[in-house]
Amino acid sequence: MPENMKQAVVYQIYPKSFSSHRQQATGDLLGVVDRLDYLAWLGVDYLWLTPFYCSPQKDNGYDVSDYYRIDPAYGSMADFELLLAEARRRGIGIMLDIVVNHTSTEHAWFRQALKGRDNFYRDFYIWRDQPNNWQSKFGGSAWAFEPESGQYYLHLFDQTQADLNWENPQLRQAVFEMMRFWADKGVAGFRLDVINLISKDPAFSEDDSDGRHFYTDGPRVHEYLQQMHREVFAGRELLTVGEMSSTSLAHCIDYSRPERRELSMTFNFHHLKVDYPQGKKWQLGRFDFVGLKRIMSDWQQGMHAGGGWNALFWCNHDQPRVVSRFGDEGQYRQVSAKMLATALHGLQGTPYLYQGEEIAMANPAFQHIEELRDVESLNAYQQLLASGLDRTQAMAVIRQKSRDNSRTPMQWDSSRFAGFSQTQPWLRLADDAGYINVASALADPDSVLHHYRRLIALRKQYRVLADGDYHCLTPEHPSLWVYTRRSAAEMLLVISHFGAEAQSYRLPEGVIPEGWQAELLLSNYPAPAVGWQWQLRPWHSLLYRLTPP
Ligand code: TEU
């Protein structure tokens, strides 16, 4: 991974909800071009765009029917090439989302595969005469019956997302050829969707679980990624990040250790399951703060020691808004959002900023299931009713956990559709768009937006953010996360208060080497009195840099 990537920040865009140049219900690629000056001002280095290829949109583009064509709803290839050029002109690289664990059942490969067992494309997918008990991540069996052939095909997600058979070398070549097509166009990187699920247990074994450990970090996954590196990434300066669902630290070290020639970095989700009671997503749950710190600390120290590299994130298009989840979306929204930003951006890894996070957008408080569009949430709602909850109880769970919480239109200004479009958007706006928007944040030098811009600039200024060893000073504290980052020449002290109650904190003796000078780089309150003891205010955040005498 090129060194500059260690000080880069990635901005994630969900094109359907970002900005509509053509003033339609959905966003488009020219809408991203319209906002490039804003993104350059913010200081981000890469834009990761979730899928905009041709798709029936059953899973909002993660069901690809043609990898080589832009879905007309998003624009044309010319629009994409303009985006690439205009972004590059501003020093920003474009990362594509590669969805090759599965295709849409509308994809030509699958249409061909349905023509018969001896069709060349049949073996591009996974067929069995009898299903096993593996479950889809969107609920129900992971197998769908195909009456013509009398066989079942595997779909770990929706029934219209058929899993690809990576055991088939011709399939792998077809995927690598497609990725080279986009790399040759000059993209700067790839996000690889659920890439750690592509190698299934060839025996399709089963037990009384949902089957995930028979295909997660599977037997040949590292071999396939090393082949992908040889066939696509080698000789190119690409930032590559793998979305690793239900993975392990050991595997993520291997996926991202440079000498293994697989990926630059990995997303893991363990820190975003701390509000899943007994590991169950679709239940109401308060988040386990001490658990969150433990997971973050394990992955900071584990990846550092193992030579791996973390992708750092609180939000994405599959997760509820972080200020609603781990912060305070009411009276303390601004200060808690800043605290969450500093707590994450102070860590070792590459930070990812999801559209709207920089202005502290919150969950929109969906009241009725009719307001939602996400296939996973709509399925979950029916399952919750079937499990005996009434509509109000079911909606309470959906309101907390749904992916649609982060898919509402981006809020640019206080106009009718928040500057996203002049047409009623595909998903309703949050009610706070009138005052939570980019225009008002730009105008307020003390806003969360300016705080993120400062954090992004600090990462380029101070090498310790990329290299410093991580050490947590308050692993068991119920509301404080205090950690240091240390390198030979400098040190950081990050104090984050996850709560509204007043809290005092004294730094233990010996943490700061004798004679080292402290400089407060960033806080969400006016600078406190000098000294290693603090009366912390609600959701207080302090970032100090320390240097030797
Ligand atoms: O997500 C993978 C994934 O695991 C998520 O589905 C996640 O488990 C769930 O949403 C959290 O509850 C990726 C994409 O990010 C997601 O949008 C797609 O739906 C999914 O893969 C299938 O492509």
Side-chain angles (χ1 to χ4, degrees):
M1 174 171 62
E3 278 308 300
N4 71 344
M5 278 187 201
K6 290 192 172 179
Q7 294 180 282
V9 172
V10 181
Y11 188 95
Q12 182 196 353
I13 291 176
Y14 198 68
K16 199 167 188 166
S17 302
F18 190 62
S19 189
S20 182
H21 178 83
R22 297 175 291 180
Q23 306 307 327
Q24 297 177 343
T26 55
D28 50 31
L29 295 180
L30 291 179
V32 181
V33 174
D34 294 342
R35 306 294 180 177
L36 284 175
D37 287 339
Y38 162 72
L39 295 165
W41 169 87
L42 186 55
V44 298
D45 305 277
Y46 294 86
L47 304 181
W48 152 29
L49 278 76
T50 59
F52 47 78
Y53 319 100
C54 285
S55 162
Q57 298 291 327
K58 181 65 187 294
D59 186 20
N60 285 356
Y62 282 94
D63 47 327
V64 178
S65 55
D66 187 337
Y67 290 110
Y68 290 86
R69 287 183 41 235
I70 312 277
D71 193 301
Y74 289 119
S76 65
M77 188 60 82
D79 295 347
F80 175 71
E81 279 150 5
L82 176 69
L83 171 60
L84 264 184
E86 286 298 315
R88 189 178 301 120
R89 204 161 57 75
R90 294 167 175 83
I92 297 176
I94 300 293
M95 292 169 62
L96 294 193
D97 206 318
I98 298 293
V99 187
V100 287
N101 173 70
H102 46 265
T103 73
S104 165
T105 49
E106 295 304 313
H107 192 288
W109 294 345
F110 193 80
R111 307 315 302 166
Q112 286 289 327
L114 292 178
K115 293 198 171 138
R117 296 186 186 212
D118 52 9
N119 183 288
F120 172 81
Y121 290 99
R122 185 79 175 184
D123 194 38
F124 269 35
Y125 296 91
I126 299 171
W127 303 89
R128 280 175 61 83
D129 295 335
Q130 284 313 318
N132 63 15
N133 69 355
W134 293 1
Q135 295 298 297
S136 158
K137 290 181 181 291
F138 289 167
S141 168
W143 298 89
F145 183 66
E146 197 278 304
E148 264 321 292
S149 63
Q151 285 194 306
Y152 295 80
Y153 66 87
L154 180 68
H155 61 89
L156 291 180
F157 294 90
D158 188 72
Q159 182 161 339
T160 63
Q161 292 166 299
D163 277 55
L164 288 166
N165 173 22
W166 275 73
E167 299 276 332
N168 178 343
Q170 280 133 340
L171 176 271
R172 297 200 296 271
Q173 284 312 324
V175 167
F176 300 150
E177 187 183 340
M178 176 271 289
M179 293 176 73
R180 286 192 295 268
F181 167 82
W182 291 106
D184 293 345
K185 279 191 177 296
V187 302
F190 294 115
R191 179 260 188 190
L192 297 153
D193 188 59
V194 284
I195 202 67
N196 69 323
L197 307 185
I198 60 178
S199 172
K200 280 70 174 179
D201 163 24
F204 294 93
S205 318
E206 64 180 11
D207 59 12
D208 56 8
S209 77
D210 63 8
R212 69 182 65 199
H213 57 255
F214 292 115
Y215 57 73
T216 301
D217 302 322
R220 299 180 68 188
V221 67
H222 291 284
E223 172 202 339
Y224 296 152
L225 285 174
Q226 286 166 6
Q227 188 184 7
M228 184 186 283
H229 193 286
R230 285 193 304 277
E231 306 255 358
V232 182
F233 307 152
R236 302 175 196 260
E237 285 276 305
L238 293 169
L239 189 161
T240 55
V241 58
E243 183 202 27
M244 305 304 183
S245 168
S246 311
T247 188
S248 71
L249 178 59
H251 275 290
C252 285
I253 289 170
D254 285 351
Y255 288 132
S256 61
R257 216 150 47 90
E259 52 274 18
R260 289 200 42 112
R261 295 186 179 290
E262 298 182 24
L263 303 173
S264 312
M265 61 188 79
T266 56
F267 289 116
N268 84 82
F269 294 81
H270 297 290
H271 65 301
L272 296 181
K273 295 184 177 173
V274 291
D275 54 2
Y276 289 16
Q278 296 87 43
K280 296 205 171 4
K281 173 174 180 175
W282 299 105
Q283 276 183 25
L284 289 178
R286 258 207 60 65
F287 79 96
D288 165 9
F289 174 59
V290 170
L292 174 72
K293 284 188 290 185
R294 190 179 52 256
I295 292 165
M296 295 300 253
S297 298
D298 290 350
W299 283 77
Q300 281 291 297
Q301 288 162 334
M303 290 289 258
H304 185 74
W309 192 259
N310 284 304
L312 305 169
F313 70 113
W314 285 135
C315 294
N316 69 18
H317 60 291
D318 290 336
Q319 304 293 332
R321 292 283 182 184
V322 68
V323 76
S324 300
R325 193 176 195 178
F326 299 152
D328 176 309
E329 60 184 25
Q331 175 191 0
Y332 295 116
R333 188 194 295 208
Q334 299 295 316
V335 286
S336 66
K338 291 177 183 178
M339 180 280 289
L340 289 161
T342 302
L344 188 83
H345 284 240
L347 297 172
Q348 181 175 52
T350 298
Y352 285 68
L353 182 51
Y354 179 65
Q355 65 183 53
E357 196 180 337
E358 77 273 26
I359 55 171
M361 281 176 64
N363 293 348
F366 292 115
Q367 297 306 313
H368 310 289
I369 195 65
E370 291 74 21
E371 296 176 84
L372 283 93
R373 298 289 176 275
D374 168 35
V375 56
E376 185 194 42
S377 305
L378 297 175
N379 290 358
Y381 181 74
Q382 295 309 326
Q383 283 143 22
L384 289 166
L385 295 180
S387 72
L389 272 63
D390 65 25
R391 292 176 186 288
T392 306
Q393 294 165 322
M395 264 319 289
V397 179
I398 294 291
R399 214 176 358 266
Q400 185 188 59
K401 295 291 176 64
S402 171
R403 306 191 300 177
D404 274 343
N405 278 314
S406 56
R407 297 176 179 187
T408 57
M410 181 62 178
Q411 299 165 201
W412 296 101
D413 59 38
S414 58
S415 63
R416 182 159 177 235
F417 297 123
F420 166 76
S421 176
Q422 285 161 13
T423 302
Q424 174 69 43
W426 69 281
L427 193 62
R428 79 161 173 80
L429 276 166
D431 300 337
D432 57 17
Y435 58 94
I436 297 288
N437 57 61
V438 170
S440 60
L442 280 169
D444 168 6
D446 188 38
S447 68
V448 176
L449 178 61
H450 288 278
H451 187 94
Y452 267 102
R453 184 166 186 249
R454 181 91 174 98
L455 276 171
I456 293 167
L458 287 174
R459 182 164 283 273
K460 295 181 175 55
Q461 204 175 340
Y462 298 115
R463 192 66 212 183
V464 64
L465 277 161
D467 303 334
D469 295 351
Y470 167 94
H471 179 63
C472 181
L473 299 170
T474 57
E476 299 308 321
H477 195 290
S479 70
L480 285 185
W481 183 11
V482 179
Y483 65 80
T484 58
R485 303 284 311 282
R486 175 88 187 263
S487 65
E490 54 189 341
M491 184 174 181
L492 294 178
L493 171 64
V494 182
I495 299 174
S496 305
H497 180 207
F498 279 70
E501 80 288 348
Q503 178 71 53
S504 66
Y505 178 68
R506 169 191 291 279
L507 199 66
E509 293 300 318
V511 170
I512 308 300
E514 198 55 42
W516 281 46
Q517 299 307 307
E519 171 199 2
L520 180 63
L521 292 180
L522 192 60
S523 178
N524 55 354
Y525 285 98
V530 174
W532 303 122
Q533 168 139 13
W534 297 266
Q535 284 310 317
L536 298 172
R537 302 170 67 176
W539 305 93
H540 209 148
S541 169
L542 295 153
L543 171 60
Y544 290 95
R545 176 171 175 262
L546 298 114
T547 48

